[in-house]
Amino acid sequence: MSSWLTSLEGTEAGHDLALALALLAALLHAIFGALQKGRHDPWLSRGAIDFSYGLIAAPFALFVVPWPEPHMWPIFGTVFVIHVIYKLLQGFTYSKGAYTVVYPVVRGTGPLFAVIGAYFLFGETFNATQWFGVAVLLAGIYGLAVYNLRTITVNRDTLVPALWLAVATGMFVALYTTYDAYGIRATADPFTFLAWFFFLDGLFFMPPLAAYLWWQKADRPDLGPLMKRGVLGAFVAFFSFGAIMVATRLDNVGEAAVLRETSTVFAALIGWLILGEKVGPRRLTLMALIALGAVIVEIGG
């Protein structure tokens, strides 16, 4: 399968597959965010998810995929640091803000910086139509932020810091998207990067330890349902992160990163239908504007 994927790089078939993978990643990432924000404390949920996918990935990393080339270890080290900071910011963001408020800002801030990062790292450029799409997307994001500042009642006392944390988290979304794209392109077999990323990220990372420490002071949920959510989240993470990373290897990083932000629409529906959060027509319209910007970027390309 690795040979087949690499043979599609730079082809029209590769572009179409990258488009489908980015959309799949959008849906799955909204589900992943809801799993972390949903039933249990976000720190406990994230710890259970990370521990689960690290444990599942371990045999694949150690015994199935080719061993990483020597030059990959510094790359994995940098990836490790970026994701540490990203997950800490994400955990604080979800702890302080309502899901339908902070998620669009997190996911929408990322594309602008991802496009800029892709220019410096890969030499990718956007045309005028695509930049217009980015502007539409950003209008939806910051329009949503202003609307929420005026109308939201849930977690009102922590909304402003939650929004700032969401912007910072979005910047690290862009950073990990572009640098991870560099990492998956730096190895001959893309599945080597994915297997070792999940192995190292899950078992030798901060969320499981942070979750254990948080467990000592949080209202302790039943461990069984928490770990079931962790295993479910692990498989969602495999396909969500794996899909967007393969998309960035097959096609432009900036386009894939922007298209993934249609996840805001899925997130609105999840927050409304599953988490019971009020969305309303105005907020839903602004979220749709974010998605429209992503579509314009794709069509313009």
Side-chain angles (χ1 to χ4, degrees):
M1 189 172 182
S2 298
S3 300
W4 174 71
L5 279 176
T6 54
S7 71
L8 295 177
E9 294 175 21
T11 67
E12 188 64 28
H15 172 77
D16 293 340
L17 180 57
L19 172 64
L21 289 172
L23 288 173
L24 175 63
L27 171 61
L28 292 177
H29 202 284
I31 294 173
F32 185 88
L35 284 171
Q36 182 176 357
K37 174 65 177 176
R39 180 178 177 184
H40 303 293
D41 180 272
W43 294 103
L44 296 179
S45 296
R46 187 72 206 216
I49 291 169
D50 283 26
F51 178 77
S52 297
Y53 69 53
L55 197 62
I56 295 168
F60 292 93
L62 296 173
F63 305 113
V64 177
V65 300
W67 204 258
E69 302 92 331
H71 70 269
M72 289 301 298
W73 297 114
I75 293 175
F76 281 127
T78 304
V79 167
F80 179 93
V81 173
I82 291 172
H83 280 266
V84 165
I85 300 173
Y86 158 67
K87 289 184 182 181
L88 288 174
L89 287 171
Q90 184 186 57
F92 284 118
T93 299
Y94 285 170
S95 296
K96 291 182 177 295
Y99 178 67
T100 50
V101 176
V102 297
Y103 185 86
V105 178
V106 170
R107 303 314 309 177
T109 302
L112 174 63
F113 295 101
V115 170
I116 295 172
Y119 169 76
F120 286 106
L121 201 57
F122 306 112
E124 296 180 8
T125 57
F126 269 20
N127 58 39
T129 300
Q130 289 177 302
W131 277 114
F132 173 71
V134 173
V136 171
L137 183 142
L138 291 176
I141 293 167
Y142 295 110
L144 184 63
V146 171
Y147 177 80
N148 289 333
L149 278 170
R150 295 176 57 187
T151 62
I152 196 70
T153 58
V154 177
N155 298 125
R156 182 72 192 181
D157 57 328
T158 59
L159 180 58
V160 173
L163 288 172
W164 281 113
L165 284 167
V167 171
T169 306
M171 294 178 66
F172 272 85
V173 168
L175 183 58
Y176 85 64
T177 299
T178 51
Y179 195 82
D180 290 354
Y182 170 75
I184 200 171
R185 294 179 180 194
T187 184
D189 191 319
F191 292 105
T192 293
F193 177 84
L194 291 174
W196 277 88
F197 167 81
F198 282 113
F199 172 49
L200 296 173
D201 189 65
L203 292 185
F204 300 97
F205 203 34
M206 291 184 67
L209 175 60
Y212 174 76
L213 296 175
W214 197 260
W215 176 274
Q216 305 303 308
K217 62 177 181 178
D219 292 332
R220 298 185 181 184
D222 292 336
L223 190 59
L226 177 62
M227 291 311 300
K228 286 181 181 178
R229 182 172 290 254
V231 172
L232 175 60
F235 282 101
V236 173
F238 288 145
F239 288 100
S240 173
F241 185 80
I244 194 62
M245 283 297 96
V246 172
T248 61
R249 174 150 179 165
L250 293 175
D251 202 34
N252 289 341
V253 175
E255 289 187 21
V258 169
L259 192 60
R260 180 179 55 177
E261 305 322 318
T262 55
S263 62
T264 53
V265 176
F266 298 119
L269 294 174
I270 291 170
W272 174 44
L273 296 174
I274 299 177
L275 300 182
E277 297 181 357
K278 293 182 179 180
V279 177
R282 293 180 181 177
R283 192 177 295 128
L284 190 60
T285 299
L286 289 166
M287 289 181 176
L289 194 63
I290 297 171
L292 176 62
V295 172
I296 292 173
V297 169
E298 179 62 26
I299 293 174

